[in-house]
mmCIF file of all heavy atoms in Angstrom:
data_model
loop_
_atom_site.group_PDB
_atom_site.id
_atom_site.type_symbol
_atom_site.label_atom_id
_atom_site.label_comp_id
_atom_site.label_asym_id
_atom_site.label_seq_id
_atom_site.Cartn_x
_atom_site.Cartn_y
_atom_site.Cartn_z
ATOM 1 N N ALA K 44 164.372 118.440 41.358
ATOM 2 C CA ALA K 44 164.698 117.192 40.664
ATOM 3 C C ALA K 44 163.608 116.142 40.871
ATOM 4 O O ALA K 44 163.228 115.433 39.927
ATOM 5 C CB ALA K 44 166.039 116.673 41.165
ATOM 6 N N ALA K 45 163.089 116.064 42.106
ATOM 7 C CA ALA K 45 162.044 115.074 42.390
ATOM 8 C C ALA K 45 160.754 115.398 41.634
ATOM 9 O O ALA K 45 160.121 114.503 41.050
ATOM 10 C CB ALA K 45 161.779 115.027 43.900
ATOM 11 N N ILE K 46 160.353 116.693 41.644
ATOM 12 C CA ILE K 46 159.143 117.092 40.919
ATOM 13 C C ILE K 46 159.299 116.822 39.432
ATOM 14 O O ILE K 46 158.375 116.317 38.763
ATOM 15 C CB ILE K 46 158.847 118.584 41.169
ATOM 16 C CG1 ILE K 46 158.456 118.818 42.632
ATOM 17 C CG2 ILE K 46 157.735 119.077 40.230
ATOM 18 C CD1 ILE K 46 157.182 118.121 43.056
ATOM 19 N N THR K 47 160.473 117.138 38.883
ATOM 20 C CA THR K 47 160.702 116.890 37.459
ATOM 21 C C THR K 47 160.601 115.396 37.147
ATOM 22 O O THR K 47 159.973 115.001 36.155
ATOM 23 C CB THR K 47 162.088 117.416 37.054
ATOM 24 O OG1 THR K 47 162.179 118.812 37.356
ATOM 25 C CG2 THR K 47 162.332 117.223 35.562
ATOM 26 N N ALA K 48 161.212 114.581 37.997
ATOM 27 C CA ALA K 48 161.160 113.131 37.772
ATOM 28 C C ALA K 48 159.720 112.611 37.849
ATOM 29 O O ALA K 48 159.307 111.762 37.041
ATOM 30 C CB ALA K 48 162.038 112.421 38.804
ATOM 31 N N ILE K 49 158.938 113.127 38.814
ATOM 32 C CA ILE K 49 157.533 112.693 38.945
ATOM 33 C C ILE K 49 156.721 113.093 37.714
ATOM 34 O O ILE K 49 155.927 112.314 37.182
ATOM 35 C CB ILE K 49 156.915 113.286 40.225
ATOM 36 C CG1 ILE K 49 157.562 112.663 41.470
ATOM 37 C CG2 ILE K 49 155.404 113.078 40.260
ATOM 38 C CD1 ILE K 49 157.175 113.331 42.771
ATOM 39 N N MET K 50 156.931 114.334 37.239
ATOM 40 C CA MET K 50 156.202 114.796 36.056
ATOM 41 C C MET K 50 156.567 113.978 34.820
ATOM 42 O O MET K 50 155.705 113.632 33.998
ATOM 43 C CB MET K 50 156.513 116.281 35.809
ATOM 44 C CG MET K 50 155.968 117.233 36.870
ATOM 45 S SD MET K 50 154.167 117.279 36.971
ATOM 46 C CE MET K 50 153.933 116.397 38.518
ATOM 47 N N VAL K 51 157.856 113.672 34.677
ATOM 48 C CA VAL K 51 158.290 112.865 33.529
ATOM 49 C C VAL K 51 157.676 111.463 33.607
ATOM 50 O O VAL K 51 157.192 110.928 32.600
ATOM 51 C CB VAL K 51 159.827 112.791 33.478
ATOM 52 C CG1 VAL K 51 160.283 111.766 32.450
ATOM 53 C CG2 VAL K 51 160.416 114.158 33.141
ATOM 54 N N ALA K 52 157.690 110.873 34.817
ATOM 55 C CA ALA K 52 157.102 109.537 34.970
ATOM 56 C C ALA K 52 155.603 109.560 34.665
ATOM 57 O O ALA K 52 155.077 108.655 33.988
ATOM 58 C CB ALA K 52 157.349 109.038 36.396
ATOM 59 N N ALA K 53 154.907 110.600 35.150
ATOM 60 C CA ALA K 53 153.475 110.723 34.864
ATOM 61 C C ALA K 53 153.227 110.904 33.366
ATOM 62 O O ALA K 53 152.271 110.341 32.810
ATOM 63 C CB ALA K 53 152.882 111.898 35.649
ATOM 64 N N ALA K 54 154.093 111.675 32.709
ATOM 65 C CA ALA K 54 153.945 111.873 31.259
ATOM 66 C C ALA K 54 154.143 110.561 30.507
ATOM 67 O O ALA K 54 153.434 110.286 29.527
ATOM 68 C CB ALA K 54 154.947 112.931 30.779
ATOM 69 N N VAL K 55 155.100 109.744 30.958
ATOM 70 C CA VAL K 55 155.315 108.444 30.308
ATOM 71 C C VAL K 55 154.079 107.556 30.461
ATOM 72 O O VAL K 55 153.635 106.909 29.498
ATOM 73 C CB VAL K 55 156.567 107.757 30.905
ATOM 74 C CG1 VAL K 55 156.655 106.314 30.401
ATOM 75 C CG2 VAL K 55 157.823 108.526 30.523
ATOM 76 N N VAL K 56 153.484 107.544 31.669
ATOM 77 C CA VAL K 56 152.286 106.729 31.898
ATOM 78 C C VAL K 56 151.131 107.212 31.024
ATOM 79 O O VAL K 56 150.443 106.402 30.360
ATOM 80 C CB VAL K 56 151.897 106.779 33.392
ATOM 81 C CG1 VAL K 56 150.539 106.109 33.617
ATOM 82 C CG2 VAL K 56 152.964 106.104 34.242
ATOM 83 N N ILE K 57 150.897 108.539 31.017
ATOM 84 C CA ILE K 57 149.807 109.074 30.181
ATOM 85 C C ILE K 57 150.089 108.800 28.706
ATOM 86 O O ILE K 57 149.170 108.504 27.922
ATOM 87 C CB ILE K 57 149.641 110.589 30.428
ATOM 88 C CG1 ILE K 57 149.230 110.840 31.877
ATOM 89 C CG2 ILE K 57 148.587 111.170 29.480
ATOM 90 C CD1 ILE K 57 147.902 110.231 32.265
ATOM 91 N N GLY K 58 151.359 108.882 28.313
ATOM 92 C CA GLY K 58 151.707 108.583 26.926
ATOM 93 C C GLY K 58 151.382 107.140 26.565
ATOM 94 O O GLY K 58 150.836 106.860 25.487
#
Side-chain angles (χ1 to χ4, degrees):
I46 293 297
T47 302
I49 292 171
M50 292 296 108
V51 170
V55 171
V56 172
I57 297 298

